C-alpha cells in the first residue's frame, strides 16, 4: 500500500490566519471605543480644548472640535448649541469667547480657571472667535 503525503503548511497557515482574524477585529473595535472615551475626557496640558456637548455626563460621544496651544485669537465656525471648554493652559492663562471674528465684538463667555479638572459647559452659538491670553 502506498500513501501520498500532502504538505500541511499552507493549510495550517490558512487556519492560523483565520483563527486570528476574529480576535483582531474585536480588539480594534474595543480600542476605538476606549480612544473616544479618553478623547472626550482629557485635554493635554498646555491646551485649551472645546468639545461638543457636556463631557462630564459620562458619555463618550463628545468629539473634540477645537484645541489651541498658543496665546492668540482664533476664528471658529459652526459652534451651534452646547459645548464644554477645558482650559489646561499653564501659568495662569485664560480663555474667552467673543461674538465677532478676529477678537472683535463682546465677550460671550470667559474661563479663568485653568486646572484642567473642571470646564465651562455653555452655548457657543454666539461665539465667532476664541482668545487665549496670559
Amino acid at each position: 500500500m502506498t500513501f501520498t503525503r500532502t504538505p500541511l503548511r499552507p493549510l495550517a497557515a490558512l487556519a492560523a490566519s483565520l483563527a486570528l482574524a476574529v480576535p483582531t477585529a474585536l480588539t480594534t473595535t474595543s480600542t476605538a471605543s476606549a480612544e473616544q472615551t479618553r478623547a472626550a475626557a482629557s485635554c493635554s496640558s498646555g491646551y485649551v480644548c472645546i468639545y461638543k456637548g457636556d463631557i462630564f455626563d459620562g458619555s463618550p460621544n463628545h468629539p473634540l472640535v477645537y484645541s489651541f496651544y498658543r496665546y492668540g485669537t482664533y476664528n471658529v465656525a459652526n459652534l451651534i448649541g452646547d459645548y464644554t471648554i477645558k482650559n489646561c493652559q499653564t501659568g495662569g492663562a485664560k480663555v474667552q469667547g467673543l461674538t465677532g471674528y478676529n477678537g472683535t465684538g463682546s465677550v460671550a463667555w470667559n474661563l479663568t480657571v485653568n486646572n484642567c479638572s473642571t470646564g465651562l459647559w455653555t452655548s457657543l452659538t454666539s461665539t465667532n472667535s476664541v482668545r487665549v491670553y496670559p
Side-chain angles (χ1 to χ4, degrees), residues 15-100:
S17 67
L18 289 174
L20 293 176
V22 172
T24 302
L26 293 175
T27 302
T28 303
T29 302
S30 63
T31 302
S33 296
E35 286 174 11
Q36 288 172 346
T37 302
R38 279 194 303 277
S42 67
C43 183
S44 297
S45 178
Y47 285 84
V48 170
C49 299
I50 299 178
Y51 297 92
K52 178 68 177 154
D54 178 9
I55 65 170
F56 299 105
D57 69 0
S59 169
N61 299 322
H62 303 293
L64 175 66
V65 180
Y66 287 102
S67 65
F68 310 107
Y69 184 76
R70 291 185 164 66
Y71 292 149
T73 302
Y74 305 91
N75 289 332
V76 295
N78 300 321
L79 295 177
I80 298 171
D82 292 340
Y83 289 80
T84 302
I85 303 102
K86 285 185 80 173
N87 182 2
C88 296
Q89 288 275 322
T90 57
K94 300 165 189 66
V95 60
Q96 61 186 194
L98 299 143
T99 58

